[in-house]
Every structure is written in C-alpha cells, then in structure tokens.
Amino acid sequence: MGIVFRSVTKQYPNTASPAVDNVSLDIKEGEFIVFLGPSGCGKTTLLKMVNKLYDTTSGTIEIDGTDINQVQTEQLRRGIGYVIQQNGLFPHMTIEANIAVVPRLLKWDEAKIDKRIDELLDMVHLDPKVYRKRRPSQLSGGQQQRVGIARAMAAAPKILLMDEPFGAIDAITRTSLQDELHRIQRLLKKTILFVTHDVDEALRLADRIIVMQAGKVVQFATPFEILTNPANDFIRQLVGERDVYRKMAFLKVEDVISASGNAETAAGAEGVALTDDLKLVFNRMVEEQVREYPVVDGSNRRVGTVTMERILTKLAN
Ligand SMILES: Nc1ncnc2c1ncn2[C@@H]1O[C@H](COP(=O)(O)OP(=O)(O)OP(=O)(O)O)[C@@H](O)[C@H]1O
Ligand SMILES: [Mg+2]
C-alpha cells in the first residue's frame, strides 16, 4: 500500500502558521519511513491526517491510488494500525481484551480471535500463558509498548502508524524493541510511518527518513544520504556530525565484518584489512561509490565482507 501526499497543509484554527505546510511525499509499499524532527514540527498532525483523525486543510492523501476522502472512515481505519504517542492501552481491560478490540469490532468469531491473540503475543515475545489475563498496570512499560504494537497489528493492517512508540522506554529495552519491530517489518512487509525525535532510532530503523522542521519537509532521503549529505545546517546539527566520524575512527573492520560475501566483489575490488579503521573504509566507499568491500587477511585471503549497511548499523548503536 503506497501512500502519496499531495501538497498537504494543516492549519489549526486561530494559529499564525500551518502545523503542516505544503507537504508532498511518495511513500512506497513496504517502506519503513521515519519522521524525524523537533517537538512541535508537525509529526503527529501529519500521521493523524492519514487515518482521518484530522482533516487536511488543503491537499490530498492517497493510499494505493485512492484519495482517502473517497473511503469511509471506518473502512479506512480497519486497514491502518495505529500506535499512539502514549501507549493508550485500556487500563481496565486485560491484555487479551485490549488486543481483541478491533477483531471484535470486525465481528471475528471468538475462536479466531483467541488464536490471533496467542499469535500476536508470541510475535512480540510475550508468553500468552503469562500475560493474557493481566492488566496493563501489571506489565512493565516496555511490555505495554509491545502489547500496543500487537494490538495495532491485530487485524493485519497493511499500514502501521507509530507515534513515538518507544518514547518512554529505557535505552536497552528500546534497542531490543527496535530490533523486534525491524524483524516484524521485514517478515510482514508492512508500510510503516514511524515518528520519533531520536536521531539514532531513525538511523537504525528507517529505509528512508523524512526530516521535518516547522511543518515543512526539509529532507526525504536514506539514512546514509542524511548522514553524508545533510540538506541544510539544521539537519547537519541534528545528526550532529553525529560523532559519527569520531566513532568511526575508533572502530575497525573486524567490528563489523560479516562472514557471507559475494565472491565476485572479492575478485574485482581491492580488499580492506581487518584492522583498517572504519573512517578510512567509509571514506573510500563514499569516494568510489560502492557499498561493500571484501575483507582480506595478511596473506590476502578473503575472510569476509564489510558493507555500508553494517557500518551504519554499528554507528547507530
Ligand atoms: N488540536 C490542535 N489545535 C491547535 N494547535 C495544535 C493542535 N495540535 C497541535 N497543534 C500545534 O501544531 C503544531 C504541531 O503539533 P504536533 O503535535 O503535530 O507536533 P509534533 O511534531 O508531533 O511534536 P511532539 O514531538 O512534541 O509530539 C504545534 O505547534 C502544536 O502546538
Ligand atoms: Mg507528536
């Protein structure tokens, strides 16, 4: 389900400037898109227009080629999972009842719902036997967030809107939830619109990042492009030269080497050594516009591969 924004603007009543200002975007089916930007730049407003919690002031949003205003709101929302900024579980309901909300609205039969609850809890690594009957307050923050994700996926929506889903979670749990979400996305190929103001989170998760500033999109590009070619000073500051270069100089090829590799690359390109620092390798990649090198040992034997992707993942950790 691709999503297209055409000159979308949202102006709240009695405000001086639009919260979302003439945004045009072309998001492909199955992409993991991260909206990144400071508080108040319009991220939540943009998400809420996709499932019609807010109307656009002008412009249109299309899902799979159809203007969302041509689709009944209920029907539209059935196809879109939504994880709100605070996890938003119903406190008086058990975990299983929380997850079952949408399937029940859709009048699935109870056996099917029952099976689905187990499946979803397994997916987010919560043992159904332990957690089904609990209430949200009897779960840790991170576990609640997982239930929020499971609930959003209950009716197998093709699109997921996630508004800072890991905002209130400690760094370690956050990393493991990010890994899980990434795995789930690769497995199920959802189109995900994910909001954060955490740069590292954006770099880790995104296929492409949309950087927003005061309601406008200032850059829409891959993590790599954003790191290496920030569109303006604001983004340069945001990714903070990221300490990336400093970090790179401390890391070596052996820290990111992967065993598998493409033998043809080995034959063609000149290899790098296990002990080369990543700054050197990264600069060479940018200069030569390649994304991987063979890694060779002291006797020039192939021992693995170093890829751009592995370097970026390592740096975002
Ligand atoms: N219901 C509303 N009425 C009037 N103004 C609003 C409303 N909701 C949001 N705004 C304003 O619109 C702008 C964008 O808000 P939005 O919630 O989209 O930002 P955000 O990027 O999600 O911020 P945060 O990172 O803090 O969640 C802000 O200036 C905010 O004050
Ligand atoms: Mg917000």
Side-chain angles (χ1 to χ4, degrees), residues 41-62:
C41 72
K43 306 180 296 294
T44 296
T45 303
L46 201 65
L47 276 201
K48 286 186 171 175
M49 289 190 285
V50 176
N51 59 4
K52 289 210 274 188
L53 285 169
Y54 294 155
D55 289 327
T56 59
T57 305
S58 62
T60 54
I61 299 173
E62 289 166 19

Side-chain angles (χ1 to χ4, degrees), residues 207-273:
D207 291 321
R208 289 194 290 169
I209 297 173
I210 293 167
V211 186
M212 292 184 67
Q213 186 181 15
K216 291 195 165 68
V217 170
V218 284
Q219 189 163 17
F220 183 17
T222 63
F224 173 66
E225 288 171 79
I226 293 209
L227 273 173
T228 53
N229 200 4
N232 62 18
D233 284 343
F234 164 74
I235 301 174
R236 189 167 299 116
Q237 244 174 13
L238 188 73
V239 299
E241 326 267 305
R242 206 71 240 117
D243 290 348
V244 158
Y245 275 99
R246 200 165 54 93
K247 227 162 151 184
M248 270 190 204
F250 286 111
L251 290 167
K252 304 206 175 305
V253 168
E254 61 195 359
D255 298 319
V256 294
I257 189 171
S258 52
S260 64
N262 167 349
E264 284 168 26
T265 338
E270 194 189 328
V272 298

